[in-house]
Amino acid sequence: MKRHGNLFEQITDIETLRYAYQMSRLGKSHYTAVKRFEQNVDANLKDIQQALIDKTFKTGAYRIEDRMEGGKMRRIYKLPYSPDRIVQHALISVVGPIIRRSLIRDTFQSLPERGTADARRRVQKFIKEKQPRYALKLDIRKYYPSVNNDRLKQMVRRKIKCQDTLWLIDDILNSMDGLPIGNLTSQYFGNFYLYQFDWWVKQGLGVGGYYRYCDDLILFANSKAQLRAWFYQIESYLNGLELDVKTDWQIVSMQKQGVDFVGFLFMLDKTKLRPSIARNFKTASKKKTGLELFASLIAYKGWMMRANAKMLWRKHVSGRIIKQSKLFYKHTPLRGRI
């Protein structure tokens, strides 16, 4: 197994830090902290560079925010923009490719070109080609907070031998038990922590249809008994990593029920929107108006285009537009205006 060295010089290179600054400001240029940093970018980047070289850098204090995401209340941990977010972007720009090369093809989330769209395409392709009769769906309970950082550090050391880089990774990991949701590094290390498990599922268990999006897993087979056997083996393996499977795991018929994954309900002959997303769309189409409605519908249109949801769109959008147009022209006739 190849171990990578001489990484720290790349991380602390001023051009790497400049790239990290540009990436970290995307969508955040209006933040006060970003505006303050941009008053003297070069000097501030040199200060970060020197702090890393001198090893005076230390991960800052987290600001905690509870936020509703995807129908779930999540605790988000936010670090200062500078130097923390810039440092994490610099680290991942160098270490990220090493992590990605360790992963199976069907691990998704927070990886370049491996988001929900890629996951949907991969799952659809497998279902179309293999026509599996059943699917197993399971989630890991409180995955990020449950990651054992000491175990993770040892895993990282099997890939990286650069001591200065390991110092920086250790400092970030030591900043909190588990992986704090909100850190860029948490997204990558969250995928990496289960990379050996993923390979074991694919090669050890011999599962052809296996897909993981962070802590959300699905497996396909033509036998309920096979999926049940795989589940108990998977549960045992994850318990060995100090991870627990949620009790709501289930085996579903692909013909009758379909499997819920990355926002879609996959069935043998079609792909539907996740019921909660469809409900939210209906609510948005009724309650919102004007620009707010337009922005919301544009966001939902992306989901609609990738699912069998034409009738849903026609009923709640096309039908509404036609109805509103008729009412408008009833009270505002076109005669004499053309």
Side-chain angles (χ1 to χ4, degrees):
M1 180 185 295
K2 181 178 179 180
R3 296 175 68 221
H4 298 264
N6 303 316
L7 303 175
F8 200 64
E9 288 186 7
Q10 299 176 52
I11 295 169
T12 57
D13 183 86
I14 197 67
E15 291 308 314
T16 301
L17 292 171
R18 191 177 302 281
Y19 169 79
Y21 146 69
Q22 292 169 348
M23 294 300 294
S24 65
R25 72 182 295 276
L26 291 177
K28 300 178 177 64
S29 58
H30 60 288
Y31 284 19
T32 301
V34 177
K35 291 179 179 179
R36 188 182 304 118
F37 187 90
E38 292 180 337
Q39 291 175 2
N40 199 340
V41 173
D42 290 340
N44 288 328
L45 289 177
K46 288 184 181 297
D47 287 344
I48 294 175
Q49 180 188 48
Q50 200 61 50
L52 289 170
I53 293 172
D54 295 342
K55 294 190 173 59
T56 57
F57 168 82
K58 184 172 179 60
T59 300
Y62 290 95
R63 181 166 59 86
I64 301 174
E65 176 182 311
D66 290 327
R67 182 188 304 168
M68 185 65 72
E69 290 187 350
K72 299 178 181 178
M73 183 63 72
R74 300 186 184 277
R75 177 151 289 186
I76 310 298
Y77 296 83
K78 293 186 175 182
L79 284 169
Y81 171 73
S82 175
D84 295 88
R85 297 191 187 187
I86 295 174
V87 167
Q88 291 201 14
H89 273 277
L91 172 66
I92 292 301
S93 71
V94 176
V95 172
I98 298 172
I99 291 176
R100 290 197 295 272
R101 285 195 291 271
S102 303
L103 308 177
I104 66 169
R105 174 61 182 85
D106 291 314
T107 293
F108 308 94
Q109 193 208 30
S110 306
L111 297 168
E113 299 180 357
R114 288 207 207 173
T116 57
D118 182 52
R120 173 190 54 79
R121 285 191 295 266
R122 297 281 295 179
V123 172
Q124 283 179 323
K125 183 174 185 291
F126 178 85
I127 293 173
K128 181 178 180 180
E129 293 177 353
K130 304 298 183 181
Q131 291 288 293
R133 295 176 62 193
Y134 302 101
L136 166 66
K137 175 179 171 56
L138 61 142
D139 299 323
I140 300 172
R141 188 175 69 85
K142 296 183 179 179
Y143 174 55
Y144 277 75
S146 300
V147 168
N148 183 313
N149 284 347
D150 290 333
R151 186 190 299 272
L152 177 56
K153 290 176 193 176
Q154 293 305 312
M155 293 174 64
V156 170
R157 279 161 170 75
R158 297 190 193 108
K159 297 289 182 179
I160 296 172
K161 62 183 179 181
C162 174
Q163 292 302 310
D164 291 331
T165 301
L166 291 173
W167 158 79
L168 178 56
I169 292 173
D170 286 353
D171 182 82
I172 294 171
L173 292 179
N174 289 338
S175 66
M176 181 165 291
D177 291 336
L179 297 175
I181 298 174
N183 276 4
L184 175 65
T185 52
S186 293
Q187 299 170 8
Y188 275 77
F189 289 135
N191 281 323
F192 181 71
Y193 191 67
L194 288 178
Y195 91 91
Q196 291 173 320
F197 164 78
D198 291 334
W199 282 109
W200 171 77
V201 172
K202 295 287 288 185
Q203 298 180 343
L205 296 183
V207 182
Y210 166 67
Y211 304 87
R212 178 169 69 86
Y213 191 90
C214 187
D215 57 354
D216 192 0
L217 292 66
I218 57 171
L219 296 83
F220 295 100
N222 287 321
S223 163
K224 285 185 178 181
Q226 178 65 83
L227 289 174
R228 194 172 291 109
W230 283 341
F231 169 77
Y232 290 118
Q233 290 174 282
I234 286 171
E235 183 181 43
S236 177
Y237 190 113
L238 292 175
N239 289 164
L241 295 176
E242 302 177 47
L243 300 173
D244 295 322
V245 176
K246 291 182 180 179
T247 58
D248 61 353
W249 65 277
Q250 57 182 327
I251 295 174
V252 298
S253 166
M254 290 299 296
Q255 181 67 47
K256 298 178 181 179
Q257 299 158 283
V259 62
D260 187 329
F261 188 63
V262 296
F264 296 94
L265 186 65
F266 295 94
M267 304 183 76
L268 283 183
D269 58 346
K270 57 191 171 185
T271 301
K272 303 168 78 173
L273 281 180
R274 174 180 288 162
S276 60
I277 292 176
R279 286 194 299 271
N280 292 340
F281 164 71
K282 293 175 185 177
T283 301
S285 66
K286 292 176 182 177
K287 292 186 176 181
K288 296 180 180 180
T289 58
L291 291 176
E292 185 184 29
L293 173 63
F294 178 76
S296 178
L297 293 180
I298 289 298
Y300 279 110
K301 183 63 173 175
W303 291 98
M304 300 290 180
M305 290 173 61
R306 294 164 178 83
N308 299 97
K310 289 183 179 178
M311 294 307 297
L312 187 65
W313 181 267
R314 288 174 182 171
K315 180 178 179 180
H316 294 276
V317 179
S318 302
R320 184 178 177 184
I321 291 173
I322 293 171
K323 181 179 179 180
Q324 292 297 321
S325 298
K326 288 181 177 178
L327 287 173
F328 175 79
Y329 288 121
K330 179 179 180 180
H331 299 289
T332 311
L334 290 174
R335 186 172 52 198
R337 295 173 180 263
I338 298 178

